[in-house]
């Protein structure tokens, strides 16, 4: 069954008369890791929000797991991770992870068990009693990921989750994310600014163009799995990066001279 | 909210509120500094007194035993009987303080509850905010001392009307601050809860209320002393004898004879206000856990 | 302001105005329905007519109280700002004094009235001004201090990179940062000054608003008492609005001002 099915999706913001997305068609199969990449204003974050029913479409349809996006949200079909980890200061790490479980009405014992499993998954066992401000940025992001996965949604929506982290932490978390993706057999839709990150993580990269937001092209990443630090040095990796970059170059410079996010080597 | 940021070194694994020796020592140093400053201020008082009496200056006011008694006179008065053959002044004052404290406590609880409930109602409706906030603010421009006698007449004099007056002074900071606190959560957190299909009440319970705690306690600290002031003011028109208000009225009559008694009463009244404040601070330390740089 | 902006702002006030009239109506009706005796809560109209008939007395009393409140406000706020500036410079002194300042604030101001009456001529305005000043001092000082010290470290560092001295930093960075806090406190202080001036009358014998209220209540003339309270309220609001206007002019640059509510 198709996980995400988008047809003819258009989103305009009346304020400022902005067409964030125009006539988007996209299908995402189970188990895929799809990255959305593009210059500022291409609507990638908006698209993620539309999938999550955090904002309504102006026209067109968004379906998740065969239902409307709205129903999917009510049925808790997906987990979401933001760039700012959005952890609650007044809860311990363990209680932060348990938040969605509490909302779903899980029993205390079941919650505790699942939280321990999650802490193990993101390698934060022993930090359950800490508070978010006692952890580093990378660890906070891992908590956010653990929270998003705690109720085992089949779909994970991630909006530039590693954008605020340094390069080393970022690369490490990339590998960890792939590990989690494999273990939980999830489908992931991932918004990012970084070409190398998109190519490294995904099975498919969707390149978007701005004003109005459209899909400019798609690059299938058929690099072997499981991917590791070595993958980044594979010549085929560079080919794919170049392919994505060429597509972006085609949409990146417009008459206003907007600039792509620069790549660090 | 949690800060991603410079890699924070991991603190020790024990919960933050452990009575570690370092924290106890820091508290002791703070207490000692406060004591030192207090003594310095007493010294300043006496110095001011000494110079002004010597030079017989009359600005801002003439200084003599009536207008500015020696500090030790005030403390001595505490140890002496308030009235001839009566109990010691300090005993009288402590009883009065306890009397007033009970009224203030009820008023504090009432005002805090009403203030909090009002804020919860207001946060859910912008129309209600626009309709009611001007009057809530304006309510504080009504001089409480003027309204107190009427409250006493309405509710038939007694400690209840005093508690109501104390509540009146308490609820306003609580309402305003709690409202701000309930609105303080970042939009992303609201989005997160929306992704969990949370309804209004869940958002209130899991997000808004916890986010409002620092703001609430900030207001409670102000309200703590305000409720004591309210209680004392409430006692005046009620002709209630047993509390600090009555003591103030009483010693005011005899101020020219024994000024020290009134000063001593003020001291005790300040002590009562301070103890309410400290109680709130202690509860805050237990209840509110936030990143250190965010604490008010 | 554009016409649409003006219209939006006026529309925002509609709910409050509706509530006002609804409140008056309910007031008027409940007195009739519940047969509340007029000496407890007079009808709105009775208060308004008492206000009108007594307007000259109320006005002279009000004017006097206003002067006292304004004087006390000026004194207390100035002192608060000055002390805050000193404490901002000498941080440790500030930290040491803060608990004591909090403690001093816990003393009910009413307890100081007899003392002020002993210090200053009880027949003059001074005791009332002193009371108002004392009430204003603490909130203004605390908020000003907070404003002066909430400067972002990066801003101070920038100034230092320009080899700016402490005084320059104070003038160009701390003061502008502190201004929103100061005005916020000043608005609170206007109300407190008014209350202080009236509270101080409790032990006094002079012809100002507080005395008017006190005398009216003792004569069970609640209509006049409420009229006087109304006057005090109006004056308090006027002072508040005056400070708000000054704030609007001075703080045109402050983005957070737009988001504040009606208060």
């Amino acid at each position: 069954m198709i996980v995400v099915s988008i047809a003819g999706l258009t989103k305009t913001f009346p304020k400022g008369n902005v067409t964030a997305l125009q006539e988007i068609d996209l299908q995402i199969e189970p188990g895929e890791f799809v990255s959305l990449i593009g210059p500022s204003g291409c609507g990638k974050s908006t698209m993620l929000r539309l999938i999550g029913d955090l904002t309504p479409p102006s026209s067109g349809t968004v379906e998740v797991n065969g239902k409307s996006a709205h129903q999917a949200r009510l049925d808790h079909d997906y987990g979401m991770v933001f760039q700012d980890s959005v952890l609650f200061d007044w809860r311990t790490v363990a209680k932060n992870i348990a938040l969605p479980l509490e909302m779903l009405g899980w029993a205390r014992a079941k919650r505790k068990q699942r939280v321990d499993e999650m802490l193990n998954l993101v390698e934060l066992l022993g930090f359950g009693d800490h508070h978010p401000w006692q952890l580093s940025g990378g660890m906070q992001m891992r908590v956010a990921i653990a929270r998003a996965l705690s109720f085992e949604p089949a779909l994970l929506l991630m909006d530039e989750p590693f954008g605020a982290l340094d390069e080393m932490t970022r690369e490490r978390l990339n590998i960890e994310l792939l590990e989690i993706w494999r273990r939980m057999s999830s489908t992931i839709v991932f918004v990012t600014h970084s070409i190398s990150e998109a190519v490294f993580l995904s099975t498919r990269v969707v390149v978007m163009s701005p004003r109005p937001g459209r899909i400019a092209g798609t690059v299938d990443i058929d690099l072997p799995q499981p991917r590791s630090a070595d993958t980044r040095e594979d010549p085929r990796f560079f080919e794919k990066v170049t392919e994505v970059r060429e597509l972006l170059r085609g949409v990146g410079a417009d008459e206003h001279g907007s600039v792509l996010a620069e790549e660090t080597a | 909210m949690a800060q991603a940021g410079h890699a924070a070194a991991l603190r020790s694994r024990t919960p933050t509120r452990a009575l570690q020796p370092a924290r106890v020592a820091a508290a002791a140093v703070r207490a000692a500094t406060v004591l030192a400053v207090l003594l310095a201020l007493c010294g300043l008082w006496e110095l001011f007194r000494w110079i002004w009496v010597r030079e017989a200056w009359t600005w801002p006011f003439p200084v003599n035993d009536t207008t500015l008694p020696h500090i030790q006179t005030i403390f001595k008065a505490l140890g002496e009987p308030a009235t001839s053959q009566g109990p010691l002044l300090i005993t009288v004052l402590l009883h009065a303080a306890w009397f007033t404290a009970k009224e203030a406590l009820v008023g504090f609880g009432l005002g805090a509850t009403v203030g909090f409930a009002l804020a919860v109602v207001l946060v859910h409706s912008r129309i209600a905010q626009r309709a009611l906030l001007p009057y809530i603010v304006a309510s504080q421009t009504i001089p409480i001392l003027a309204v107190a006698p009427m409250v006493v007449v309405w509710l038939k004099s007694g400690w209840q009307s005093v508690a109501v007056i104390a509540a009146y002074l308490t609820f306003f900071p609580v309402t305003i601050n709690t409202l701000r606190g309930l609105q303080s959560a970042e939009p992303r957190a609201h989005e997160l809860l929306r992704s969990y299909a949370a309804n209004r009440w869940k958002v209130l319970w899991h997000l808004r209320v916890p986010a409002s705690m620092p703001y609430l306690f900030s207001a409670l600290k102000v309200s703590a002393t305000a409720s004591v002031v309210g209680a004392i003011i409430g006692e005046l028109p009620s002709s209630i004898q047993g509390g600090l208000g009555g003591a103030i009225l009483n010693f005011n009559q005899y101020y020219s004879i024994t000024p020290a008694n009134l000063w001593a009463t003020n001291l005790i009244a300040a002590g009562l206000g301070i103890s309410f404040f400290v109680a709130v601070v202690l509860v805050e330390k237990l209840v509110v856990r936030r990143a250190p740089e965010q604490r008010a | 302001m554009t016409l649409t902006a003006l219209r939006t702002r006026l529309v925002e006030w509609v709910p409050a105005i509706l509530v006002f009239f609804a409140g008056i109506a309910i007031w008027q009706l409940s007195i009739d329905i519940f047969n509340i005796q007029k000496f407890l809560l007079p009808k709105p109209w009775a208060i308004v007519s008492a206000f009108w008939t007594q307007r000259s007395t109320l006005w002279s009393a009000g004017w006097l109280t206003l002067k006292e409140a304004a004087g006390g406000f000026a004194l207390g706020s100035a002192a608060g700002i000055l002390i805050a500036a000193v404490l901002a410079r000498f941080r440790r002194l500030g930290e040491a004094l803060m608990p004591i300042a909090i403690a001093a604030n816990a003393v009910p101001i009413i307890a100081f009235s007899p003392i002020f009456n002993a210090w200053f001529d009880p027949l003059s305005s001074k005791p009332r001004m002193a009371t108002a000043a004392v009430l204003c001092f603490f909130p203004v000082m605390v908020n000003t201090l907070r404003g002066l010290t909430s400067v972002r470290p990066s801003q101070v560092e920038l100034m230092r990179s320009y080899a700016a001295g402490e005084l320059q930093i104070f003038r160009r960075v701390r003061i502008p940062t502190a201004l929103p806090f100061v005005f916020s406190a000043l608005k609170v202080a206007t109300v407190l000054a008014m209350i202080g001036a009236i509270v101080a009358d409790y032990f006094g014998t002079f012809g100002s608003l507080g005395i008017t209220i006190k005398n009216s209540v003792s004569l069970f003339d609640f209509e006049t008492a409420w009229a006087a309270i109304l006057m005090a309220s109006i004056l308090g609001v006027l002072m508040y609005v005056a400070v708000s206007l000054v704030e609007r002019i001075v703080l045109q640059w402050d983005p957070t001002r737009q988001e504040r509510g009606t208060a």
Side-chain angles (χ1 to χ4, degrees):
Chain A
M1 174 172 54
I2 311 276
V3 177
V4 176
S5 176
I6 300 177
L9 181 64
T10 303
K11 174 73 183 175
T12 49
F13 291 108
K15 214 175 185 179
N17 221 356
V18 175
T19 308
L21 293 168
Q22 189 161 77
E23 298 292 322
I24 302 285
D25 293 307
L26 184 63
Q27 310 250 336
I28 300 181
E29 312 255 339
E32 282 202 82
F33 195 125
V34 175
S35 285
L36 304 177
I37 192 168
S40 312
C42 69
K44 50 194 193 293
S45 287
T46 310
M47 184 133 90
L48 207 66
R49 274 179 171 63
L50 282 159
I51 299 175
D53 188 42
L54 294 176
T55 186
S58 303
S59 68
T61 59
V62 181
E63 285 187 357
V64 177
N65 286 338
K67 331 170 204 178
S68 70
H70 182 69
Q71 191 57 44
R73 177 172 69 87
L74 296 178
D75 291 344
H76 309 276
D77 278 359
Y78 70 88
M80 188 133 187
V81 180
F82 299 95
Q83 178 172 6
D84 171 0
S85 46
V86 193
L87 300 177
F88 290 177
D89 271 347
W90 53 87
R91 287 176 170 243
T92 58
V93 162
K95 295 211 90 183
N96 262 294
I97 297 177
L99 177 65
L101 306 177
E102 284 177 32
M103 313 219 72
L104 286 169
W106 283 28
R108 180 185 296 244
K110 235 181 125 194
R111 289 202 311 254
K112 174 140 185 15
Q113 189 193 7
R114 176 53 60 86
V115 167
D116 287 336
E117 284 170 19
M118 288 293 119
L119 284 171
N120 197 20
L121 182 70
V122 298
E123 293 174 21
L124 282 177
L125 266 181
F127 287 99
D129 283 331
H130 283 70
H131 281 266
W133 72 79
Q134 294 172 296
L135 305 185
S136 68
M139 295 166 86
Q140 288 175 6
M141 186 47 64
R142 283 196 252 154
V143 175
I145 293 174
R147 178 180 62 189
L149 292 169
S150 60
F151 53 101
E152 287 183 332
L155 176 63
L156 202 57
L157 303 177
M158 306 180 82
D159 191 355
E160 297 192 60
F162 307 136
L165 304 173
D166 64 270
E167 185 83 8
M168 281 81 68
T169 311
R170 206 172 178 163
E171 289 192 2
R172 197 155 29 99
L173 284 177
N174 279 351
I175 294 178
E176 285 183 25
L177 182 60
L178 283 181
E179 175 66 32
I180 292 171
W181 171 61
R182 233 194 332 279
R183 270 209 253 170
M184 313 219 32
S185 308
S186 336
T187 310
I188 300 186
V189 184
F190 190 92
V191 170
T192 180
H193 260 152
S194 161
I195 302 176
S196 66
E197 184 174 66
V199 171
F200 181 78
L201 290 172
S202 326
T203 56
R204 183 157 54 118
V205 175
V206 174
V207 177
M208 300 181 66
S209 62
R211 285 182 282 277
R214 264 197 271 256
I215 295 184
T218 313
V219 178
D220 285 316
I221 314 285
D222 48 6
L223 295 169
Q225 301 274 5
R227 302 189 186 156
S228 66
D230 292 334
T231 313
R232 290 189 193 271
E233 286 158 27
D234 189 330
R236 281 175 294 171
F237 178 79
F238 292 112
E239 280 170 25
K240 288 295 173 185
V241 166
T242 309
E243 211 180 314
V244 173
R245 180 170 289 133
E246 288 300 313
L247 261 178
L248 276 168
R249 208 157 261 156
V251 309
D254 61 11
E255 63 274 14
H256 299 295
S258 74
V259 175
L260 295 177
E262 271 308 320
E263 273 263 294
T264 53
Chain B
M1 289 291 155
Q3 307 290 320
H6 317 294
L10 246 47
R11 317 245 174 96
S12 75
R13 290 190 172 199
T14 51
T16 38
R17 60 182 163 94
L19 284 164
Q20 293 153 348
R23 302 192 79 214
V24 174
V29 166
R30 260 204 313 268
T33 337
V34 172
L35 209 58
V37 174
L38 260 174
L39 287 173
L41 285 176
C42 290
L44 264 173
W45 175 302
E46 292 292 331
L47 183 66
F48 175 80
R49 206 176 176 282
W50 185 74
I51 297 179
W52 254 253
V53 167
R54 236 171 93 93
E55 303 292 327
W57 286 335
T58 50
W59 195 94
F61 56 86
V63 176
N64 50 44
D65 282 330
T66 311
T67 58
L68 207 68
H70 280 292
I71 295 201
Q72 62 188 81
T73 323
I74 299 174
F75 279 99
K76 244 180 52 155
L78 282 173
E80 283 171 20
T83 54
S84 44
Q85 263 83 51
L88 294 183
L89 180 63
I90 185 151
T91 325
V92 172
L93 286 179
L94 284 178
H95 272 118
W98 175 239
F99 189 95
T100 306
K102 285 186 287 188
E103 297 162 334
L105 207 57
V106 174
F108 180 74
L110 185 61
T113 313
V114 167
F116 194 85
L118 199 53
V120 169
V121 166
L122 288 178
V123 81
H124 286 120
S125 160
R126 291 230 72 185
I127 301 252
Q129 280 180 40
R130 287 202 214 112
L132 296 177
L133 270 177
Y135 300 107
I136 294 177
V137 171
S139 75
Q140 300 299 298
T141 65
I142 299 180
I144 182 63
L145 194 60
V147 182
M150 299 185 211
V151 175
V152 169
V153 172
W154 289 342
L155 297 177
K156 314 288 186 284
S157 138
W159 65 265
Q160 291 93 332
S161 34
V162 176
V164 165
I165 294 169
Y168 184 84
L169 286 184
T170 304
F171 93 94
F172 179 69
V174 173
T175 306
I176 298 293
N177 262 29
T178 306
L179 182 60
R180 210 157 11 122
L182 290 170
Q183 295 171 326
S184 68
E186 54 169 325
R188 286 268 199 271
H190 281 278
E191 270 195 330
L192 184 73
L193 286 193
R194 201 173 139 75
S195 82
Y196 298 149
N199 63 17
R200 199 180 269 202
W201 303 110
K202 289 205 173 147
V203 173
L204 183 65
W205 180 248
H206 283 107
L207 180 61
R208 287 195 196 273
V209 169
S212 70
M213 284 296 121
Y215 293 81
L216 173 66
F217 276 93
S218 178
L220 286 181
K221 284 190 269 202
V222 171
S223 294
T225 51
S227 63
V228 172
V229 171
I232 293 181
I233 288 181
E235 285 173 3
L236 296 175
S238 316
S239 319
I240 290 181
Q241 293 298 334
L244 285 174
I248 291 174
L249 271 180
N250 196 14
F251 296 134
N252 173 50
Q253 280 196 296
Y254 300 106
Y255 185 74
S256 32
I257 306 172
T258 31
N261 284 356
L262 188 60
W263 284 95
T265 311
N266 285 357
L267 204 62
I268 301 294
L272 183 61
I274 295 166
S275 45
F276 266 54
F277 181 87
V278 167
V280 172
V281 170
L282 285 176
V283 173
E284 181 184 21
K285 284 221 190 298
L286 292 173
V287 168
V288 179
R289 314 269 212 91
R290 288 291 187 281
E293 69 273 3
Q294 281 183 324
R295 293 205 194 110
Chain C
M1 262 194 287
T2 65
L3 206 57
T4 26
L6 190 62
R7 203 183 321 145
T8 332
R9 293 225 67 210
L10 285 176
V11 165
E12 279 181 10
W13 280 97
V14 166
I17 296 174
L18 286 176
V19 167
F20 180 76
F21 285 112
I24 298 280
I26 294 175
W27 183 346
Q28 186 92 18
L29 285 173
S30 25
I31 292 186
D32 286 331
I33 295 177
F34 296 108
N35 223 356
I36 300 178
Q37 292 176 289
K38 88 144 202 268
F39 81 90
L40 284 181
L41 184 63
K43 288 196 182 180
W45 185 247
I47 296 176
V48 171
S49 56
F51 193 90
W52 183 251
T53 36
Q54 310 255 19
R55 61 187 182 283
S56 47
T57 339
L58 284 179
W59 178 243
S60 50
W63 179 237
L64 187 62
T65 307
L66 184 64
K67 280 193 291 182
E68 291 164 351
F73 170 78
L75 261 172
S77 306
I81 292 175
L82 237 77
I83 303 285
V86 169
L87 292 183
R89 181 74 182 81
F90 303 105
R91 283 307 171 84
R92 299 250 230 107
L93 189 60
E95 278 165 33
L97 281 177
M98 199 48 79
I100 299 183
I102 294 172
N105 201 45
V107 178
I109 192 62
I110 185 93
F112 270 103
S113 290
I115 293 174
F116 287 154
N117 280 337
W119 284 359
F120 310 109
D121 176 10
L123 293 180
S124 74
S125 296
K126 284 206 191 152
R128 273 163 283 261
M129 253 199 265
T131 315
V134 168
L135 272 183
C136 288
F137 172 76
F138 189 65
V140 172
M141 190 208 61
V142 165
N143 269 296
T144 309
L145 185 58
R146 193 146 37 111
L148 288 171
T149 53
S150 66
V151 175
R152 274 181 284 153
S154 47
Q155 290 175 333
V156 177
E157 280 176 354
L158 180 72
M159 292 301 286
R160 287 201 206 284
S161 80
Y162 297 151
E166 279 298 330
L167 199 60
Q168 286 259 33
I169 296 179
F170 198 82
R171 228 188 75 202
R172 292 184 191 282
V173 180
R174 289 197 200 276
I175 291 184
T177 311
L179 278 178
F181 289 83
V182 172
F183 273 102
S184 178
L186 285 181
K187 287 194 277 196
V188 172
T190 58
V191 174
L192 290 177
M194 202 63 205
I195 292 180
I198 292 183
V199 161
D201 278 336
Y202 196 82
F203 293 98
T205 49
F206 207 49
S208 54
L209 268 184
I211 297 296
T212 313
I213 298 174
K214 188 173 153 195
N215 290 342
S216 312
V217 171
S218 58
L219 294 173
F220 284 94
D221 180 3
F222 285 97
E223 283 144 1
T224 311
W226 276 106
I229 291 176
L230 182 63
M231 176 60 110
S233 223
I234 293 175
L235 291 175
V237 170
L238 278 178
M239 275 180 79
Y240 181 93
V241 167
V243 172
S244 288
L245 283 175
V246 174
E247 178 191 28
R248 187 174 291 247
I249 297 172
V250 170
L251 287 185
Q252 275 168 350
W253 52 264
D254 185 5
T256 64
R257 220 172 46 75
Q258 262 73 313
E259 285 145 46
R260 296 218 195 112
T262 49

